[in-house]
Every structure is written in structure tokens, then in C-alpha cells.
Amino acid sequence: NAGVTQTPKFQVLKTGQSMTLQCAQDMNHEYMSWYRQDPGMGLRLIHYSVGAGITDQGEVPNGYNVSRSTTEDFPLRLLSAAPSQTSVYFCASREMFSTDTQYFGPGTRLTVL
Amino acid sequence: QQQVKQSPQSLIVQKGGISIINCAYENTAFDYFPWYQQFPGKGPALLIAIRPDVSEKKEGRFTISFNKSAKQFSLHIMDSQPGDSATYFCAASSGGGADGLTFGKGTHLIIQP
């Protein structure tokens, strides 16, 4: 049971490049989400999904796209990276009707030059 | 608009002392209040959580105190140890958490030996 896995661990992009941050969980959790963490800002919700085929926007969705084709995977896409997207990105999952424990992945540190 | 305000930003406590971190919220619909612990290079991990039907919850050396009328909650770490040195985040959610957690900005706690 690997929990929540994220790849890559580190990434450097140039402004305007695109990339996909991968997230997978093996706990059969319906609810998955993406957060970004910036110094002194805490974690802010980007997008979330309550099940395969269903996604919605969080607090800071601009510049990011998501899709959920399977229960296990929830990739985050940056279509045209900007320096303001330099951050640490965390994927998380939990059971849909339980807020008690949300499991976070180890994070992806992204730098946009 | 920051819905969960956390203080202090940083805290230094002597080994064996009590660490206290405070949070205040604005949204009266919040009904779940977790605390997360994060070590450098790792994702946040749930430490302890409370719901507003109780005023206090204790798990080992960690206690949450909750004041519904003041819209405040706090984390107390008794007999603080160097291994407790980490960043702590308070958070809140409502309605089953479908739209994610709202995090405070974090407290960097250092326990001096």
C-alpha cells in the first residue's frame, strides 16, 4: 500500500512550457485534491475531484487544468507555466464521506524560470 | 480574504515546555478543525482533529482546545520534544469537506534541547 504518490519530485520549467504533475493513490479514495504551498501562505486548494469524471475548482484554479478518468489518478496540468506558479504542489486523497483523515503525497517542487 | 488566521508564525520552546499555537476562523459554517504536522521535504500529516460538539480533545501529548463562541481553536503540545520541531498548520472545512480544507499560514515550531 503506497498511499499517495507524486511524480516528479522536482521539476524546473521555462516560462511558457507545459507539463503534467502526476498523482496516484491506491486506497480507492473517491475524493482527491491538489494544493499548492508557498512560503508564509499555507496550503491553498487548486482543484478537487469527488470521483471519476467529476472535477471542480478550488481557491486558486487559474493556470491549471485537471481531469479524473480513473479513481486512482488525478493529474494536474500546467498549460503555459509562469514564474508565479513556482511552488510546492501536494496531492491529497480521502474517502468521500469522511473528513477525518486526508492523506497527502510527498509533494512536487516546481520552479518556473 | 483569509478565513483561518494562525499565530504565531514561529515559536521557540524549551524541551519539556508547553507549545501553544492559536487559530481563529471567520466562517461559522466550518464544522471540522484538523491540525497538520509537516516535516521538511514531506507532505502534511494529520495530527489531531476536533468537531465543534466538544470543547477539548486530547491524544497523548497533543490537545486541541475549541471555543465555538469566540471562533477560536488552539493546539497545545505538552512536554515538547525536539522531535516535535516541525511546521504546524491549522485548517477548517464545512459540509463534509467537499470543497476542501482552508489552511492557516503555518507555525514553524522549534524545540530547543
Side-chain angles (χ1 to χ4, degrees):
Chain A
N1 192 335
V4 179
T5 58
Q6 291 183 239
T7 57
K9 196 168 182 62
F10 301 96
Q11 183 70 49
V12 178
L13 291 177
K14 294 181 179 178
T15 297
Q17 286 185 317
S18 63
M19 80 159 295
T20 299
L21 279 64
Q22 302 292 344
C23 173
Q25 52 92 9
D26 61 359
M27 297 173 282
N28 201 33
H29 287 166
E30 295 156 310
Y31 186 94
M32 296 186 72
S33 54
W34 277 100
Y35 290 84
R36 61 177 288 173
Q37 183 176 23
D38 302 292
M41 293 295 294
L43 287 89
R44 292 180 293 170
L45 182 66
I46 304 171
H47 284 285
Y48 65 94
S49 169
V50 299
I54 306 171
T55 64
D56 207 343
Q57 297 180 350
E59 180 185 355
V60 288
N62 293 340
Y64 308 96
N65 281 350
V66 291
S67 60
R68 185 94 178 270
S69 57
T70 67
T71 300
E72 295 78 18
D73 301 298
F74 190 42
L76 178 72
R77 297 184 186 85
L78 285 71
L79 298 180
S80 179
S84 61
Q85 294 178 303
T86 293
S87 187
V88 181
Y89 291 85
F90 289 101
C91 179
S93 76
R94 64 169 171 82
E95 294 180 358
M96 183 58 210
F97 298 107
S98 170
T99 55
D100 287 356
T101 302
Q102 182 153 233
Y103 297 90
F104 282 84
T108 293
R109 183 174 294 274
L110 175 67
T111 301
V112 183
L113 303 176
Chain B
Q1 180 184 0
Q2 184 187 2
Q3 295 194 58
V4 178
K5 293 184 179 180
Q6 183 172 346
S7 63
Q9 271 189 302
S10 60
L11 180 63
I12 299 174
V13 175
Q14 296 297 314
K15 178 182 176 183
I18 302 173
S19 304
I20 302 174
I21 305 171
N22 301 299
C23 283
Y25 63 96
E26 300 166 5
N27 186 349
T28 55
F30 286 150
D31 58 7
Y32 175 67
F33 303 90
W35 284 90
Y36 281 82
Q37 181 187 55
Q38 185 181 31
F39 294 105
K42 304 293 186 183
L46 179 66
L47 185 64
I48 187 172
I50 197 168
R51 296 189 183 276
D53 52 343
V54 295
S55 61
E56 185 175 283
K57 183 174 181 180
K58 183 176 181 179
E59 290 185 359
R61 297 185 294 109
F62 301 92
T63 300
I64 298 179
S65 296
F66 184 80
N67 186 328
K68 188 174 182 178
S69 61
K71 293 188 287 186
Q72 295 175 346
F73 58 110
S74 60
L75 175 69
H76 295 236
I77 305 175
M78 311 300 288
D79 186 27
S80 299
Q81 298 297 311
D84 298 329
S85 297
T87 300
Y88 293 81
F89 294 95
C90 62
S93 69
S94 62
D99 52 356
L101 290 165
T102 299
F103 282 85
K105 291 186 176 182
T107 296
H108 185 212
L109 174 65
I110 296 173
I111 307 300
Q112 290 186 334

